[in-house]
């Protein structure tokens, strides 16, 4: 059992639960707070969205998260707000709720609590990019026009009764008892030693994969350890070695950091899951799970990133591409964990595209990343990496060789395009056929060249690829 202390709609709560009880199940089954809905139970529909606030450098930050794949110990020390906790003490609706009424934003109402909570968290964060904010909230009957009109109407209106200064949630979070240090450690060195001695424990970072092992596969995880309180894993540091990204950095934070350095990477992350997924998922989890269609490995490999693995006090550094040995098999020893990933210093040459059936909230059919250095019109170095084209994220070494030393011209690029068949034997699956994958990969090289020439690739051309 795990002791968890947090704030629920402003009031302190202390519970003893099995560590893999989800926040959604606890809210609905134990607290009977049934406003938070269960739709898919796998992070896709947003019906279970809640707002979770935490203290970051003394500031209260509100984030939308999917309660269905959030284990209760992950909210230790935090402030959870559900749809039941939005109205004013006298019963007046929150401006977001009122706007949904005024603009007819709800029909059957099943998605509505999740949408309201996404809009609430967005308003707290000062976000007005409603399309992105709502990409993780599926509505099957109302449609998004009225919802977006409600979002626009409500954005400017604060709810004075929920201002941090009024709720006092910052101080209240700081006053909560410390969590269970064995289950959710705060000291990285102590955790490293413990994990080296207990290599069978399941590491949980954002739980956007592990959560599904419980909610969909009904697995008993045995001993689990939560990494989200290890502040040392959540740093992003820039130095002579390059950018060191701690494995616990969430995709949302990484997106903000990359925006000014590698904008194509930031844009890729915008297409990663949804706001709720990106607020939970970590870069360490995205690498450690070894998925052939994980979105971060291709751009990181193209950027020449190195992975830092740690076992106890011993660190091992390897090129990221060497970590992925075969499908489901990574170069990670028992008791070893991903500590950080280091992107070497370089100018921004990265181009990366995710190709998927839906624009938002979809897994890649393939993802191609390109770093091509050109001097005096010739390619002097190239690093090209793809996800979705093989059993692991993989470099396109034959293509790299085919363009290196050649003029960076359309003719030379077209001559190199067949080399993709030497690098990859993609599979056909529900996302794409092998032939489609190969053809798109070739055309992404052409697109990388075209955009290097300053050519905008039109929608018609995109459809043609
Ligand atoms: C709705 C939805 C949409 C998604 N969309 C995308 C998408 O667009 N693109 C994409 O790439 N992925 C997507 N995913 C998959 C998932 O978000 C990612 O794989 C995610 O990055 C996993 O990170 P996490 O922190 O949640 O990992 P967790 O689920 O906590 O862990 C994943 C695995 O990594 C291990 N692990 C975690 N941290 C470490 C560490 N530091 N060292 C060693 N092992 C570790 C865990 O033990 C586990 O085996 C989606 C998932 C969902 C549910
Ligand atoms: S129930 Fe669908 S995202 Fe949680
Ligand atoms: S109102 Fe019915 S699903 Fe959105």
């Amino acid at each position: 059992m795990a002791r968890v202390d947090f704030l629920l709609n402003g009031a302190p709560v202390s519970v003893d639960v099995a560590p893999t009880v989800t926040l959604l199940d606890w809210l609905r089954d134990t607290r009977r707070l049934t406003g938070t809905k269960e739709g898919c139970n796998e992070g896709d529909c947003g019906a279970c969205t809640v707002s979770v606030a935490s203290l970051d450098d003394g500031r209260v930050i509100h984030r939308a998260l999917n309660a269905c794949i959030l284990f209760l110990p992950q909210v230790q020390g935090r402030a959870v707000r559900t749809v039941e906790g939005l109205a004013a003490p006298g019963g007046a609706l929150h401006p977001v709720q009122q706007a949904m009424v005024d603009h007819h934003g709800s029909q059957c109402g099943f998605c509505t609590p999740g949408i309201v909570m996404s809009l609430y968290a967005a308003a707290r964060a000062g976000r007005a990019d409603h399309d992105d904010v709502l990409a993780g909230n599926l509505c099957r009957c109302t449609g998004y026009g009225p919802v977006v009109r409600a979002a626009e109407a409500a954005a400017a209106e604060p709810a004075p009764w929920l201002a941090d200064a009024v709720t006092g949630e910052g101080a209240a979070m700081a006053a909560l008892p410390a969590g269970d240090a064995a289950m959710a450690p705060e000291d990285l060195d102590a955790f490293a030693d413990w994990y080296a001695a207990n290599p069978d424990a399941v590491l949980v970072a954002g739980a956007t994969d592990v959560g599904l092992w419980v909610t969909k596969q009904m697995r008993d995880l045995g001993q689990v350890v939560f990494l989200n309180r290890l502040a040392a894993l959540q740093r992003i540091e820039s130095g002579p070695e390059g950018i060191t990204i701690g494995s616990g950095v969430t995709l949302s934070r990484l997106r903000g950091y990359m925006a000014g350095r590698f904008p194509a990477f930031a844009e890729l992350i915008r297409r990663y899951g949804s706001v709720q997924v990106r607020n939970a998922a970590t870069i360490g989890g995205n690498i450690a799970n070894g998925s052939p269609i994980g979105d971060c490995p291709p751009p990181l490999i193209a950027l020449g990133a190195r992975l830092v693995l740690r076992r106890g006090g011993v660190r091992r550094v390897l090129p990221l591409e060497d970590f992925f040995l075969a499908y489901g098999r990574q170069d990670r020893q028992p008791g070893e964990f991903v500590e950080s990933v280091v992107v070497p210093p370089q100018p921004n040459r990265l181009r990366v595209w995710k190709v998927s059936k839906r624009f938002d909230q979809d897994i890649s059919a393939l993802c191609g990343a390109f770093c091509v250095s050109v001097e005096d019109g010739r390619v002097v170095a190239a690093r090209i990496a793809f996800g979705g084209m093989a059993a692991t994220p993989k470099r396109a070494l034959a293509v790299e060789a085919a363009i290196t030393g050649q003029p960076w011209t359309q003719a030379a690029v077209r001559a190199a395009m067949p080399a993709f068949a030497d690098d990859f034997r993609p599979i056909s699956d529900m996302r794409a056929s092998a032939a489609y994958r190969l053809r798109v990969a070739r055309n992404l090289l052409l697109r990388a060249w075209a955009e290097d020439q300053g050519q905008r690739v039109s929608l018609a051309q995109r459809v043609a690829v």
Side-chain angles (χ1 to χ4, degrees):
M1 296 294 267
R3 163 65 55 90
V4 186
D5 290 277
F6 62 105
L7 302 179
L8 177 61
N9 293 328
V13 173
S14 186
V15 290
D16 288 298
V17 289
T20 54
V21 167
T22 63
L23 176 61
L24 179 65
D25 282 350
W26 182 82
L27 285 173
R28 291 180 59 84
D29 298 345
T30 305
R31 288 303 282 238
R32 309 304 297 165
L33 289 177
T34 51
T36 309
K37 302 298 180 212
E38 178 179 328
C40 63
N41 218 16
E42 61 181 73
D44 261 319
C45 74
C48 64
T49 305
V50 296
S51 171
V52 179
S54 56
L55 274 176
D56 286 5
D57 285 337
R59 284 189 316 138
V60 181
I61 307 290
H62 303 260
R63 295 186 181 88
L65 287 170
N66 289 321
C68 66
I69 49 171
L70 192 66
F71 298 124
L72 214 51
Q74 292 177 271
V75 300
Q76 163 64 39
R78 300 190 165 175
V80 175
R81 193 160 293 274
T82 68
V83 71
E84 291 89 350
L86 288 190
L93 292 180
H94 186 279
V96 167
Q97 295 171 305
Q98 189 60 52
M100 286 286 280
V101 174
D102 295 343
H103 293 267
H104 309 284
S106 178
Q107 286 186 31
C108 80
F110 193 80
C111 69
T112 307
I115 286 183
V116 163
M117 294 314 296
S118 279
L119 294 180
Y120 165 74
R124 299 297 311 238
R127 293 185 63 168
D129 49 341
H130 304 303
D131 286 355
D132 192 41
V133 161
L134 292 168
N137 290 89
L138 300 188
C139 174
R140 287 187 171 76
C141 46
T142 302
Y144 292 89
V147 174
V148 170
R149 283 194 285 280
E152 286 165 352
E157 287 199 50
W161 60 92
L162 289 180
D164 295 333
V166 175
T167 63
E169 279 186 343
M173 276 191 271
L176 287 169
D180 177 342
M183 184 160 299
E186 296 185 9
D187 180 320
L188 184 59
D189 294 338
F191 159 70
D193 290 341
W194 181 90
Y195 185 48
N198 297 273
D200 293 332
V202 172
L203 305 184
V204 184
T208 59
D209 284 328
V210 176
L212 277 66
W213 301 354
V214 173
T215 63
K216 294 287 138 170
Q217 299 171 4
M218 312 297 170
R219 274 165 62 178
D220 177 354
L221 300 187
Q223 188 163 27
V224 290
V225 59
F226 293 92
L227 307 184
N228 66 316
R229 295 183 68 79
L230 288 166
L233 293 185
Q234 290 164 19
R235 296 194 190 120
I236 306 181
E237 285 161 350
S238 182
E241 291 276 289
I243 305 167
T244 301
I245 306 163
S247 61
V249 170
T250 63
L251 272 295
S252 290
R253 273 191 63 216
L254 188 63
R255 178 183 171 198
Y257 187 85
M258 287 298 173
R261 290 160 183 87
F262 300 105
F265 202 162
E267 174 59 15
L268 174 77
I269 298 174
R270 186 173 77 83
R271 307 241 345 255
Y272 185 119
S274 60
V275 170
Q276 295 93 317
V277 170
R278 297 193 294 268
N279 281 344
T282 64
I283 188 164
N286 199 229
I287 293 170
N289 73 7
S291 166
I293 48 172
D295 281 331
C296 289
L300 288 171
I301 292 171
L303 289 166
R306 296 183 303 276
L307 193 66
V308 181
L309 295 161
R310 177 169 173 184
R311 185 176 188 281
V314 180
R315 289 184 175 83
R316 195 160 65 93
V317 182
L318 68 163
L320 179 56
E321 58 266 38
D322 292 352
F323 178 66
F324 305 106
L325 300 177
Y327 183 76
R329 203 156 65 80
Q330 296 84 42
D331 182 2
R332 188 157 76 88
Q333 305 303 313
E336 204 173 36
F337 64 96
V338 176
E339 186 170 54
S340 60
V341 59
V342 183
V343 177
Q346 60 199 288
N348 170 31
R349 285 183 298 259
L350 179 72
R351 297 190 186 281
V352 54
W353 295 285
K354 168 171 177 166
V355 178
S356 55
K357 289 195 171 186
R358 288 193 310 253
F359 187 83
D360 286 312
Q361 179 75 304
D362 202 0
I363 297 281
S364 289
L366 69 155
C367 175
F370 302 80
C371 274
V372 180
S373 309
V374 179
E375 284 176 16
D376 299 327
R378 266 180 201 281
V379 176
V380 291
R383 289 183 67 93
I384 299 173
F386 271 78
M389 294 291 288
T392 62
K394 188 169 172 282
R395 269 176 85 176
L397 293 171
V399 180
E400 292 175 8
I403 60 170
T404 304
Q406 300 300 318
W408 189 226
T409 59
Q410 182 171 164
V413 165
R414 285 192 181 278
M417 281 161 63
F420 275 101
D422 300 329
D423 279 316
F424 300 115
R425 299 262 185 286
I427 57 164
S428 293
D429 64 12
M430 63 193 172
R431 295 196 175 87
S433 68
Y436 173 86
R437 286 186 154 107
L438 212 45
R439 187 165 180 199
V440 171
R442 288 182 184 133
N443 284 328
L444 286 183
L445 176 66
L446 191 59
R447 183 172 180 181
W449 171 81
E451 293 203 358
D452 247 16
Q453 317 309 307
Q455 294 179 18
R456 280 180 57 84
V457 177
S458 73
L459 187 61
Q461 281 169 296
R462 271 190 226 164
V463 170
V465 292

